[in-house]
Amino acid sequence: MSTVYFVVQQSFFFSIPLLIVALGGMFSERSGIVNIALEGKMLLGAFTGIFFINRVQNGYIPFLYGFDGHMLLLVALVIAALTGVVVALFHAYASITLNASQIISGVAINMFAPAFSIYVARILTETQQINFNNTFRVPYVPLLGNIPVIGPLFFQNTFVTTYLGFMILGISAFVLYKTKFGLRLRACGEHPQAADSVGVNVSKIRYAGVLISGALAGMGGVIFMVPNSVAFSASVSGYGFLALAVVIFGAWRPGRILFAAVFFGILQAFAAGFSGIAFLRDLPIPMQFYQMAPYVVTLVVLGITSNKTTKNAAPRAAGQPYDKGNR
Amino acid sequence: MKQVIARLKASGDSGLSVLSSLIAVLAGLLVGLVVLLITDAPQAFPAFRHILTFGFQEIRNVGQVLYFATPLILTGLSVGFAYKTGLFNIGASGQYTFGAFVAIWMGLELTFLPPPIRIPLSLLGAMAAGALWGAIPGLLKAFRNVHEVISCIMTNWVGIFLVNFIIMQTIFDPMRNATRTVPLDSNMPGWGLGELFQGGASRPSSVNSGIIVAILAAILVYIILEKTKFGYELKACGFNKDAAKYAGISEKRNIVSSMMISGALAGLGGGLHFLSGAGVEMQVANVLATEGFTGISVALLGLNNPIGIIFGGMLIAYLHMGGFQMQLFGFVPEIIEMVIAVIIYFCAFVLLIKLFLAHRMKKKTLPNEGGTHTGPPPDAGEPNRKEEDEGGAGA
């Protein structure tokens, strides 16, 4: 039973960042802008967020001396989100205002992000690694952690960010399906000309979609780094790309994105933690096969489940610059 | 300069593309200069001059640029070829890794064959491995309608872990945590190129016959795409899948062939890089090969045109050469990556710059409506939808 708890707790460390970044990707793609820049936005968000934590913890910011714990993490998340928004502005400007290729500006951002964070980190701190003390772990949520089964599964050895992730999921689903903005966003991704004809400002809505995706991706960067690492080194291990896969696997819908993120998180937890699980460690399976497993299983599952339905699930206008003259 | 611009304009659409790419490069370099100035103003100009001129400072450096450009041209061709046929191959990294491994393995294990047979065979092996790895996303796309971007992301990671595993079972050198060193006569012959580009340096340049293979591959890709029925069909699928299907073109077969050719090109790039004789071994690390992603940049810079990609690869290699020297001036070499990223960002505007230039030209000359659309097919990257917009994904 403790193995099950261990795997579930571990899997949240992977699936929550994936969930948040993928929801960001969903907002952008549902508005009609393909977002392969998730990786770059995530990385830069992680960079500024972790850098802030590092500075505060090492006493570089005098008026924040001794500031630590959950509040520090939340402030870092805000900084990361703002970073993501700034980066997203570049993506939005190229792909919405200038009608340029959405893929190209995405590639540029993905390339810029690691280079920029190494450059800045090495100039400011002489080294490219940014260490941080993980003072954010919640060993045990009061009261809820006592509940048998559910307590150890969801309320022990966790992070505030886990609950934040579920909150964002709820808000995203509500915004997308129950608000005027959500309806307009979806319309812009399906048929921008139709949306325009009833007075929706397509480029404004698309800007909103891309900026939301930037904020969520930036936050996702910090949320990925905190449980899974002790130092940021200009990489989020390709999780931005995985989040993109989760968006597609999740058929651009919040509920299915949650499912896809959890599915992948569990597989990743096995891959990362198999040596801590007695019966897996004793099996004569080489390490690389555990590492491969999440990707292979995703491929197989996609191969089996993908069909005409998922094809039609994609926002129809995603990837195409909006051209008023087109009908 | 004016004459150059005039001549480029005279050559019509492709001339405009080149001109707008050059504008993007200048813009990128300018941003680089600004970053250098902000970082350390007194050192900025010497460092910047170094970036601009280092590749030409010695003859040997020119050779090194060609050497570094070899794999980049091939991964660029890989991405560009797929893009022309409506597919976005971000799996070049995994295909490259697989090709590299097979080439190294054959170079190490087939020593009973004479080099003139062994080397071409290794390269063919690399291409086959790349093609096999490219076939997976192709098949999934054609028959199960899995988006190639997602399956390519997956095959990249599976590729690196699988290759690490096979290396550790076969040709592993635990001392260096890498593959064993390939015997000298398994490497690409130099054909005197290394000495040709030696100049006054003490060692010959690392450039070898690989660059010639890369250029030949580019020409071959150009011929396939522009001069054959097969290439025409592939492009037709990229432009408008439904129309191609209506015209009796087998869309499924074309998706798979296109991904396989694309993979073979990336695999060849891996083979050429590791059989260069420059003392590079394949490390066992859980890191994706960057050449595959640089290939995307190369393809974009080359406007997905095979001949443009040759120059795109060389330009990126040239900038990298200058970047290696940045530490002499107290700068971080990653400045080059930033410059390249900015160049690519401005490449996104190429279509706009082109339209602007074309607009100004039209004022002076007779309107010319026959210009060809050199941008990628509108379906590229989002091939699940039918074509609605001629401007499409833009250039």
Side-chain angles (χ1 to χ4, degrees):
Chain A
M1 204 58 197
S2 66
T3 310
V4 175
Y5 295 149
F6 173 74
V7 170
V8 171
Q9 288 165 2
Q10 283 284 318
S11 73
F12 279 120
F13 302 162
F14 299 105
S15 50
I16 292 298
L18 275 180
L19 172 71
I20 293 175
V21 180
L23 286 170
M26 177 195 77
F27 272 107
S28 161
E29 302 225 336
R30 287 304 283 264
S31 81
I33 303 295
V34 165
N35 201 342
I36 70 163
L38 286 175
E39 172 91 1
K41 292 169 183 169
M42 200 175 158
L43 201 153
L44 285 173
F47 171 60
T48 55
I50 299 293
F51 188 70
F52 174 75
I53 294 176
N54 169 291
R55 295 288 104 168
V56 173
Q57 284 180 338
N58 291 317
Y60 283 93
I61 307 176
F63 65 93
L64 288 177
Y65 194 78
F67 184 53
D68 211 344
H70 298 307
M71 279 318 288
L72 175 61
L73 179 60
L74 290 179
V75 176
L77 284 176
V78 172
I79 289 174
L82 289 177
T83 312
V85 169
V86 172
V87 182
L89 265 176
F90 282 94
H91 189 50
Y93 180 71
S95 49
I96 302 168
T97 309
L98 294 181
N99 279 346
S101 162
Q102 302 165 8
I103 300 238
I104 301 183
S105 57
V107 168
I109 290 170
N110 285 341
M111 193 166 178
F112 184 82
F116 178 82
S117 59
I118 292 176
Y119 190 88
V120 175
R122 284 195 33 192
I123 282 172
L124 295 180
T125 68
E126 306 279 303
T127 130
Q128 112 182 28
Q129 267 206 11
I130 305 169
N131 302 308
F132 63 94
N133 293 325
N134 190 343
T135 51
F136 318 115
R137 192 181 291 275
V138 181
Y140 180 90
V141 179
L143 291 176
L144 293 171
N146 285 331
I147 305 171
V149 184
I150 295 174
L153 280 180
F154 300 111
F155 299 107
Q156 287 181 14
N157 185 23
T158 181
F159 287 87
V160 180
T161 50
T162 302
Y163 311 111
L164 185 70
F166 282 104
M167 217 168 82
I168 291 174
L169 173 72
I171 297 172
S172 300
F174 179 79
V175 168
L176 193 65
Y177 290 120
K178 301 289 176 198
T179 64
K180 202 159 74 182
F181 169 73
L183 181 66
R184 290 179 172 179
L185 187 92
R186 284 181 288 143
C188 287
E190 293 296 329
H191 203 312
Q193 288 83 8
D196 196 7
S197 73
V198 291
V200 175
N201 186 336
V202 174
S203 77
K204 228 182 204 170
I205 296 281
R206 287 189 165 183
Y207 258 92
V210 175
L211 296 191
I212 293 173
S213 93
L216 292 180
M219 270 163 69
V222 173
I223 294 172
F224 171 69
M225 290 311 298
V226 165
N228 294 313
S229 182
V230 290
F232 173 77
S233 179
S235 162
V236 286
S237 320
Y239 264 68
F241 285 120
L242 282 179
L244 185 66
V246 167
V247 177
I248 301 172
F249 193 8
W252 293 267
R253 275 150 188 74
R256 286 189 59 172
I257 286 175
L258 171 69
F259 170 78
V262 168
F263 173 79
F264 201 87
I266 289 174
L267 289 170
Q268 198 64 278
F270 274 114
F274 76 95
S275 56
I277 304 166
F279 73 92
L280 288 180
R281 192 181 45 223
D282 298 339
L283 287 177
I285 299 175
M287 173 184 74
Q288 286 89 355
F289 283 80
Y290 288 105
Q291 293 172 326
M292 250 184 271
Y295 308 97
V296 175
V297 174
T298 309
L299 268 182
V300 171
V301 170
L302 275 171
I304 294 168
T305 58
S306 194
N307 53 31
K308 294 283 176 206
T309 345
T310 46
K311 176 181 177 178
N312 296 333
R316 274 176 52 85
Q320 295 164 357
Y322 173 54
D323 176 5
K324 265 189 183 172
N326 233 306
R327 282 287 172 268
Chain B
M1 188 67 197
K2 255 187 180 164
Q3 287 153 338
V4 176
I5 292 174
R7 200 177 303 156
L8 284 169
K9 279 181 176 172
S11 59
D13 195 71
S14 57
L16 277 185
S17 305
V18 172
L19 186 58
S20 31
S21 281
L22 286 179
I23 293 175
V25 171
L26 286 180
L29 286 170
L30 205 64
V31 173
L33 178 61
V34 171
V35 174
L36 290 180
L37 280 170
I38 295 171
T39 318
D40 184 3
Q43 287 285 1
F45 282 102
F48 190 66
R49 199 179 317 126
H50 220 71
I51 295 178
L52 290 185
T53 59
F54 185 73
F56 284 139
Q57 272 174 11
E58 286 174 42
I59 298 174
R60 186 172 185 276
N61 295 357
V62 179
Q64 292 307 96
V65 168
L66 295 176
Y67 160 71
F68 284 115
T70 307
L72 300 184
I73 290 173
L74 281 155
T75 50
L77 283 173
S78 167
V79 177
F81 183 85
Y83 213 70
K84 281 264 185 195
T85 63
L87 297 162
F88 186 48
N89 179 21
I90 60 171
S93 181
Q95 296 145 14
Y96 174 93
T97 307
F98 241 78
F101 165 73
V102 170
I104 296 171
W105 186 85
M106 290 173 103
L108 279 165
E109 302 290 332
L110 302 185
T111 40
F112 53 87
L113 292 169
I117 298 176
R118 192 196 314 154
I119 296 169
L121 206 62
S122 309
L123 294 185
L124 284 177
M127 289 173 77
L132 182 77
W133 215 238
I136 298 173
L139 287 167
L140 282 168
K141 166 99 187 167
F143 293 98
R144 299 302 312 168
N145 198 33
V146 177
H147 203 297
E148 78 276 11
V149 167
I150 164 171
S151 49
C152 280
I153 293 168
M154 300 294 151
T155 49
N156 275 345
W157 286 102
V158 178
I160 194 79
F161 293 131
L162 195 59
V163 165
N164 282 347
F165 172 71
I166 306 174
I167 288 177
M168 291 177 86
Q169 301 300 313
T170 52
I171 50 172
F172 189 52
D173 178 353
M175 295 299 286
R176 283 175 308 185
N177 193 32
T179 53
R180 297 205 310 266
T181 308
V182 177
L184 275 181
D185 63 353
S186 285
N187 286 313
M188 295 297 293
W191 286 352
L193 286 172
E195 288 73 25
L196 184 67
F197 285 102
Q198 184 169 7
S202 52
R203 296 175 292 141
S205 160
S206 312
V207 65
N208 54 58
S209 50
I211 184 70
I212 293 168
V213 176
I215 292 173
L216 287 178
I219 294 171
L220 191 68
V221 167
Y222 177 79
I223 292 172
I224 291 177
L225 278 175
E226 304 298 332
K227 306 288 175 203
T228 67
K229 180 167 163 269
F230 174 62
Y232 183 80
E233 288 190 2
L234 290 179
K235 280 196 299 182
C237 280
F239 265 111
N240 191 333
K241 211 165 69 171
D242 301 307
K245 210 169 164 183
Y246 188 70
I249 296 170
S250 165
E251 161 218 359
K252 289 188 183 0
R253 200 196 61 204
N254 277 343
I255 289 175
V256 180
S257 347
S258 175
M259 278 308 291
M260 285 181 74
I261 294 172
S262 179
L265 288 165
L268 179 62
L272 289 178
H273 181 61
F274 287 98
L275 295 186
S276 62
V280 277
E281 280 97 28
M282 209 170 159
Q283 297 289 323
V284 174
N286 298 340
V287 182
L288 295 178
T290 51
E291 283 85 351
F293 295 101
T294 312
I296 302 175
S297 318
V298 172
L300 292 174
L301 270 179
L303 301 166
N304 297 306
N305 174 308
I307 309 303
I309 285 168
I310 298 178
F311 292 103
M314 288 182 185
L315 177 74
I316 292 201
Y318 184 91
L319 290 175
H320 272 294
M321 280 290 291
F324 295 147
Q325 307 296 315
M326 280 303 99
Q327 263 163 331
L328 294 178
F329 300 90
F331 289 109
V332 182
E334 269 69 22
I335 179 75
I336 296 300
E337 299 290 327
M338 283 158 71
V339 168
I340 295 171
V342 175
I343 292 175
I344 289 162
Y345 186 72
F346 282 110
C347 273
F349 305 157
V350 159
L351 190 69
L352 273 149
I353 304 173
K354 256 169 79 177
L355 286 176
F356 174 72
L357 292 173
H359 185 68
R360 289 193 47 181
M361 264 171 69
K362 266 184 193 170
K363 277 187 182 165
K364 289 176 190 160
T365 55
L366 281 173
N368 170 22
E369 295 300 323
T372 48
H373 180 76
T374 50
D379 272 11
E382 61 282 347
N384 272 347
R385 275 149 237 112
K386 67 173 193 230
E387 181 182 324
E388 286 180 335
D389 181 2
E390 227 289 302

